[in-house]
Amino acid sequence: MTDHESGAPRADGSSGVSPAQKVSILAEALPYIRRFHGKLVVVKYGGNAMTDDRLKRSFAHDVVLLKLVGLNPVVVHGGGPQIEQLLARIGKKGEFVQGMRVTDAETMDVVEMVLAGQVNKEIVELINHAGGRAIGLTGQDGGLIRARKLHVALREKPDEMIDIGQVGEIEALDPAIIHTLTGNGFIPVIAPIGSGASGETFNINADVVAGRIAEVLKAEKLVLLTNTPGCSTRTAS
C-alpha cells in the first residue's frame, strides 16, 4: 500500500489524502472551525515528538493549519532530551529532584543555549517552512514571565528545603506580547525561561508555563503533546 492509499504522512510531512477525502474531512470539520474561530489554543510541545523528524514536520504543519482555519495557536516547548545531550557532551550528568532538573549556574547556561537557541529556533524555522509566521521568544521577552526561586520541601521532612538552583516558579505573567503577536498574524513559540526581580534567569517547567499561559489568556484549549501515557487535550478554565 502506498502513502497515497493509506493516508499516512509522507517524508515531507504532508499527507497522501485524496481530494475527495479532503472535501469530506473539511465538511466534517467546518462546524468546529466556526465554533473555535478566533479562539486561542495553547500547545505544549515536548517528548519524543521533538526528536523524530517526521513528527516534527507533522507538528509544524498542524500548527500552521490551526492558524489558517482561524484559530490562534501559542506554542510552549520543552527540550529535556536536547539538554541532556549537551550536558553529556560537556561531561556533566543531569540530576533531578522530585522530577525537577537541578539547575546550577553551569546547567542554566546549557538550558538557555538549548531552549532559547537551538530548540526554539528550530521550531520557528519548521513552522515558517510549513507556511506559517512564527516568532520565538522566552519568558524574558516583553516582560512575559516574572519568576522567583522555587523552594522544594523534602517529602520525608516537609520543614526542610532542598536547593535545586535556578529553578523557578511563576510570580507574574504579562500576556501583552502574546496578544500583540497573535493579533498581527504571528504564531508565538515560547521557551520556558523567566526573569527574576534582580535580573537572574530561571528554568521553569514547560507544563507549568503552558498551563499558566492558557489560564491567563483564557485559552479555549490546552493541548499537551508528549510521550507520557495518559495525557490528553484539556479545556482551559
Side-chain angles (χ1 to χ4, degrees):
M1 182 177 289
T2 65
D3 281 354
H4 181 78
E5 293 168 334
S6 68
R10 292 192 177 112
D12 63 357
S14 63
S15 68
V17 180
S18 71
Q21 288 174 315
K22 288 180 180 179
V23 170
S24 176
I25 291 168
L26 287 172
E28 291 182 17
L30 188 56
Y32 297 96
I33 294 172
R34 287 175 174 165
R35 176 183 172 188
F36 295 114
H37 189 274
K39 302 291 188 180
L40 281 156
V41 177
V42 177
V43 181
K44 190 272 175 171
Y45 179 41
N48 286 340
M50 298 185 69
T51 57
D52 183 296
D53 287 339
R54 182 183 62 82
L55 292 178
K56 287 192 290 188
R57 289 190 295 268
S58 179
F59 163 78
H61 279 86
D62 288 346
V63 169
V64 172
L65 178 60
L66 288 176
K67 191 70 173 181
L68 289 174
V69 300
L71 282 75
N72 287 312
V74 176
V75 178
V76 179
H77 66 83
Q82 294 88 341
I83 291 171
E84 284 300 307
Q85 289 172 8
L86 186 51
L87 286 173
R89 281 168 54 189
I90 65 173
K92 191 176 181 69
K93 183 175 176 58
E95 182 183 352
F96 292 84
V97 172
Q98 296 182 20
M100 289 171 286
R101 182 183 300 278
V102 176
T103 309
D104 58 18
E106 184 180 35
T107 301
M108 190 69 223
D109 288 341
V110 170
V111 168
E112 288 191 82
M113 282 190 288
V114 171
L115 295 184
Q118 174 192 342
V119 175
N120 190 272
K121 301 312 174 191
E122 181 184 19
I123 297 171
V124 167
E125 180 58 31
L126 283 166
I127 293 174
N128 289 345
H129 185 72
R133 293 199 301 161
I135 290 184
L137 61 155
T138 75
Q140 298 164 289
D141 295 306
L144 175 58
I145 299 175
R146 172 61 63 85
R148 62 191 171 208
K149 186 178 178 67
L150 177 64
H151 297 283
V152 180
L154 283 167
R155 286 188 178 133
E156 58 275 15
K157 297 179 180 178
D159 294 333
E160 294 187 22
M161 297 295 167
I162 310 168
D163 187 352
I164 55 174
Q166 290 174 248
V167 177
E169 60 182 351
I170 299 172
E171 187 173 33
L173 193 147
D174 182 354
I177 190 170
I178 297 177
H179 287 307
T180 297
L181 292 174
T182 56
N184 283 280
F186 293 101
I187 300 171
V189 178
I190 303 168
I193 298 170
S195 292
S198 301
E200 66 273 45
T201 55
F202 288 104
N203 179 22
I204 308 173
N205 180 279
D207 287 348
V208 171
V209 172
R212 185 65 175 274
I213 288 175
E215 177 186 4
V216 171
L217 292 177
K218 294 181 170 55
E220 186 69 22
K221 295 286 182 181
L222 168 60
V223 181
L224 304 176
L225 298 180
T226 177
N227 59 319
T228 303
C231 288
S232 61
T233 303
R234 299 180 184 178
T235 300
S237 57

